[in-house]
Structures are given as C-alpha cells and as structure tokens.
Amino acid sequence: MSHHLFLLSPSDTPLYNLTHYSSKPAQPTSTSPLASNLPSWSTSAFAGTLTALSGATSATQAHHVQGGTVRIGGGQDRHVIQMIANASLDVIEEVVRKESIMYLKSVDKFNEWTVSAFVTPGNMKFVLLHEARNDDGIKTFFNEVWELYVKTMLNPFHTAHTPIRSPVFDARVRASAKKYL
Amino acid sequence: MSYAQPHPRFSVLSSSSLASAEHLSTASSTRFSLSSAPSINTATGAPAKSPAQRPSIYDRPLNKARAAEVSASAFAFLFSEVVQYTQKRVSGINDLERRLNTLGYRVGTRVLELMTWRNEASSKAPKREIRFLPALMSIHTQLWRAVFGRPADAIEKSVENADECASALLQRAQPMILPADPAPDMIIDNDPPITRHISVPRDMSQLSCSSFTAGVVEAVLDGLGFPARVTAHNTPTDQYPARTTILIKLEKSVLDREEALKM
C-alpha cells in the first residue's frame, strides 16, 4: 500500500514530494476487466499511463455494477499519480473558501485513490493520495508536516517558491509517514 | 538554483533576524522576543556545543522561549539601519515606502504561519480565517500582539461622512478614487513601537516608516486569500503625535466573494 505526498506552494508549484510504501497489508485486489482486455500495443511507452487511466472507466463501471473496489496494476504510474494530485487542486480550491478547517479529509476520489489535503494559513497545500481510510493517522501526519514546514519557512533562505531539498526535512517527513501512515 | 533570489541589495537583511525580532512576547511590550529562528545562535540556548554539532533548525522547538528575548533598543537600532540602508538606495519617498513594504512582506509571510501554528497546532481541528472581518479582527489583536506585544488601538471603516482627517488621507492615497469604490478599512495604532525612535525630517513629512508594518499586514492578508493594497499614513492628533493609520484597500475579487458568501 502506498502513499503519495505533495507539497504545493500558493502558486501551485510543487516544492516537495514523497512516496511512502506502508508495511500495512494492502487490500485484496481484483483485476479490472478493461485492464486485462487492453490490446497488445499497450506494451508501448505509454502502457502504464494507459492501464492506469483505463482504471477510470472500469472503476466507475464497477462502482455502479457491484460497488466493489477495483485496483489495477498501473496504479503506481508516476504520471497518473501526479495528474490525480493536480486534478484534486480544483476541488481543494473550491473547498478552502468555504471550510475554515485546515485538514480536508477525502476531498477527492479517483479510482482506488482517495485524496486528503491540508491547507496552511499561508495557502500552502499538502496533498496526500492514499488508498485506505486512516483519518486520525493522516491528521497527525499532516500536523507534523506542518510543523516541519513552518520551521523550513523561518529560514531566510527559503522563499515561497524554493523547492525543499533539506535532507533533514526529508528524513523527518519519512519518519512520521512511517509512524502514522 | 531555480528559485528567485531576493534582490542583492536586500540580501544583507536576513529576514530571519527581522522576523525573529518581530515575534514579540506578550509578557511586556518593550521587549522583543527572539523566536527559535534558525540562523541565530542564542547565548541562552542549550549547553554550549561545538559548531559542528549545532542542532538543525528542525530540532528546535517553535514555541516561544521566554529567555530568548531581544531588547527594544536592539530592534530600534536594527530598524534604523534598515531605514538608512534602504534610503541610500532609493530615489524618492514612494520608492522608500515600497521597499520597506517589501521587507515587511517577507516578515509577514513568516509571522502568519508561525503565529497560527502557535495558536492552533495544539487544537483538535486547526482553523484558518476565511472571512474578511474575522481576519481583520485577528490582525488587530493577534498579529499586533504577536509582533508588538499589544493589540492595535482601533479598527475603522472610513465611511462617506468620515472625519476630515480620514478623507484627506483618502485623497492622498487614492487621488482618483471612484465614488463606487467601497471604503477601505483602517487599522490605527496610536504609538507604533517600531517608529518610536524615528523622527522624520520636515521635507519628508509624507514618509511613514510604518510602511514596514503595512507590508506585514499585506503579507498576512495575502496569505489568507485577501489580496489587498496596504499603505501606512501619518495621522497625528494633539493627543497622539505618532498616530499611524494602516490603510487596507481590498481587491475587487475579494469584495465580490465576501458579498457572495454573505448569502
């Protein structure tokens, strides 16, 4: 089971991202019928993207038909993950105007992915893609990331658009991801 | 490096030292507290360590440490140097005010995050301000308390029949103000601590060094999603010769949104 974290600046520039593989067991998987029916040319360079995206149609169908969860092999595809995270920004943008809570749980869903977000007062967005529900853990995780981010921000060499490259920051975020996700 | 470097002229001014000097303790209004800012080695910190083992910024707590305060005189000295440094490099009063505003902006973005973290991190569901009036109130009380150690003196909305002082002020700030424009909001401080030791020469009487504060306010409003133009003006009265007004002119999109949210 994997988690994907993105830190986005107020102008939506990605400043940091992290992929975390949890040791917790993944949910039972079933292959989507569409994914298995992909034509042979899908072994091309775009195969992963295609497979992952094909999950979209099959997942919605599956939800209508049996309501079961559908997982497909291409779920780990990097581009698709980034696209899902970026797409969820629209929803987040809409919600932050109405909700004063910083932790927005499950703002968006795409295939097997649930998107949770955390918006700091300075309009930094932390976006997390996850598969299982884990509200309390994610909340604590976001709070720790927020503290680390505030510390980063107090550094005079950090501006709102500087990518965060500090190895200590990375290690700390990884540690709390391990602990809470 | 791909990120935007601050203007080289500004680089001498570590905004961290400014930021940290700005986080005032609530304990007293004349002492400026030093936060756990990364670049400053406080003498009163942990037991002396060799430079090699200097703890990283991520090891330091963000909470306010009572011992780590810096005196108002030290800050006054720093701010006077800031003003002098800036003044040597500008061509006019407007330019000087703009530069001070920019410096304040850098401080403000940090103050906003740090202040909210200190207030909200321990609560169950941390909140942001999403409506303008509560945000303005929190600037008036919380921001002023975090930066200057006491709340500001007043919030006013200049209405059509405002006192002469305010309308004269508006004339100067907005020479081409349209009648349809909504009245700007004003935060009033009777004796701003940062300009307490500054005496502006007569030929520069329009200058208000509180532009720095205006920059802080602008950054906070911007961060919270209320883009605005914030300026500082001297509005002396007999009782308070140093009285300063921070004028907030919101962008139209914000006003429209507020109107929509009202329903």
Side-chain angles (χ1 to χ4, degrees):
Chain A
M1 210 169 58
S2 61
H3 293 83
H4 302 269
L5 171 76
F6 298 89
L7 264 59
L8 300 151
S9 80
S11 52
D12 294 343
T13 324
L15 300 190
Y16 175 83
N17 63 68
L18 171 83
T19 303
H20 170 76
Y21 295 98
S22 167
S23 52
K24 286 170 192 161
Q27 286 164 336
T29 58
S30 64
T31 329
S32 109
L34 189 75
S36 56
N37 284 340
L38 276 180
S40 53
W41 48 259
S42 71
T43 47
S44 69
F46 304 112
T49 315
L50 263 180
T51 329
L53 282 173
S54 70
T57 14
S58 62
T60 37
Q61 278 171 0
H63 278 301
H64 286 307
V65 178
Q66 6 162 310
T69 48
V70 177
R71 286 172 45 90
I72 30 89
Q76 308 298 330
D77 192 89
R78 199 70 206 147
H79 307 96
V80 177
I81 299 289
Q82 285 176 354
M83 195 198 74
I84 298 172
N86 274 310
S88 70
L89 281 177
D90 284 343
V91 188
I92 294 170
E93 206 104 301
E94 215 167 276
V95 178
V96 288
R97 291 284 148 241
K98 289 180 282 194
E99 285 290 331
S100 64
I101 309 280
M102 292 188 204
Y103 170 44
L104 312 164
K105 64 179 174 199
S106 317
V107 280
D108 199 8
K109 274 198 165 66
F110 186 89
N111 289 355
E112 74 272 33
W113 297 106
T114 308
V115 183
S116 288
F118 187 94
V119 184
T120 75
N123 212 7
M124 268 291 290
K125 298 174 196 85
F126 307 163
V127 178
L128 183 78
L129 267 65
H130 54 103
E131 290 163 272
R133 276 182 82 86
N134 176 18
D135 290 345
D136 286 339
I138 292 174
K139 194 168 120 189
T140 326
F141 173 69
F142 273 146
N143 269 331
E144 292 210 6
V145 177
W146 184 26
E147 178 175 351
L148 292 170
Y149 170 70
V150 174
K151 288 178 179 173
T152 310
M153 184 156 188
L154 290 177
N155 185 350
F157 293 104
H158 180 85
T159 72
H161 310 285
T162 323
I164 302 173
R165 294 210 187 84
S166 158
V168 186
F169 180 86
D170 189 57
R172 290 292 168 94
V173 175
R174 275 174 202 278
S176 60
K178 208 171 164 189
K179 204 163 153 195
Y180 298 111
L181 298 181
Chain B
M1 298 302 264
S2 58
Y3 56 84
Q5 278 286 357
H7 192 278
R9 283 171 183 166
F10 284 152
S11 58
V12 166
L13 301 162
S14 138
S15 69
S16 151
S17 49
L18 283 173
S20 48
E22 285 287 290
H23 305 311
L24 269 204
S25 94
T26 44
S28 73
S29 58
T30 51
R31 305 209 30 109
F32 292 75
S33 87
L34 253 178
S35 76
S36 48
S39 63
I40 291 175
N41 236 331
T42 44
T44 51
K49 285 181 178 174
S50 70
Q53 294 168 320
R54 194 164 163 268
S56 93
I57 54 174
Y58 298 106
D59 292 323
R60 297 172 179 223
L62 280 175
N63 290 313
K64 210 156 32 189
R66 282 212 183 281
E69 288 188 346
V70 63
S71 70
S73 354
F75 179 78
F77 176 66
L78 176 67
F79 191 65
S80 102
E81 288 295 322
V82 167
V83 174
Q84 286 178 49
Y85 181 90
T86 316
Q87 205 213 336
K88 275 182 209 149
R89 287 160 174 82
V90 296
S91 53
I93 291 173
N94 277 340
D95 208 16
L96 178 55
E97 287 193 336
R98 199 178 47 76
R99 289 281 179 105
L100 287 175
N101 190 299
T102 314
L103 287 172
Y105 194 96
R106 295 176 53 123
V107 173
T109 48
R110 291 165 169 90
V111 169
L112 171 66
E113 288 279 352
L114 186 66
M115 180 182 77
T116 322
W117 188 88
R118 282 180 177 163
N119 291 339
E120 296 282 336
S122 51
S123 79
K124 267 204 141 46
K127 287 195 165 81
R128 293 168 301 122
E129 299 289 353
I130 50 166
R131 297 299 304 275
F132 178 66
L133 276 181
L136 193 65
M137 282 309 291
S138 90
I139 288 176
H140 166 264
T141 45
Q142 293 185 38
L143 176 81
W144 243 254
R145 197 170 278 148
V147 178
F148 302 119
R150 59 172 173 78
D153 292 301
I155 293 183
E156 277 178 25
K157 180 132 189 131
S158 56
V159 283
E160 278 189 327
N161 297 329
D163 54 303
E164 271 189 354
C165 176
S167 42
L169 186 75
L170 282 183
Q171 286 299 315
R172 182 165 108 58
Q174 300 286 330
M176 302 200 298
I177 194 161
L178 297 170
D181 266 13
D185 295 274
M186 307 189 291
I187 298 179
I188 292 165
D189 198 321
N190 288 336
D191 184 17
I194 64 162
T195 58
R196 197 168 283 161
H197 306 287
I198 294 179
S199 153
V200 178
R202 202 175 292 269
D203 59 329
M204 295 172 73
S205 61
Q206 289 202 329
L207 172 71
S208 173
C209 290
S210 286
S211 293
F212 184 82
T213 315
V216 175
V217 174
E218 188 168 328
V220 169
L221 284 173
D222 239 7
L224 291 172
F226 307 101
R229 242 191 66 207
V230 184
T231 45
H233 307 277
N234 299 319
T235 48
T237 60
D238 290 342
Q239 199 183 354
Y240 301 106
R243 190 164 169 274
T244 298
T245 301
I246 309 285
L247 198 73
I248 300 168
K249 183 112 180 24
L250 288 168
E251 262 179 26
K252 195 167 178 305
S253 61
V254 179
L255 296 164
D256 292 348
R257 193 175 76 223
E258 284 293 307
E259 200 61 40
L261 279 172
K262 240 177 230 165
M263 288 178 276

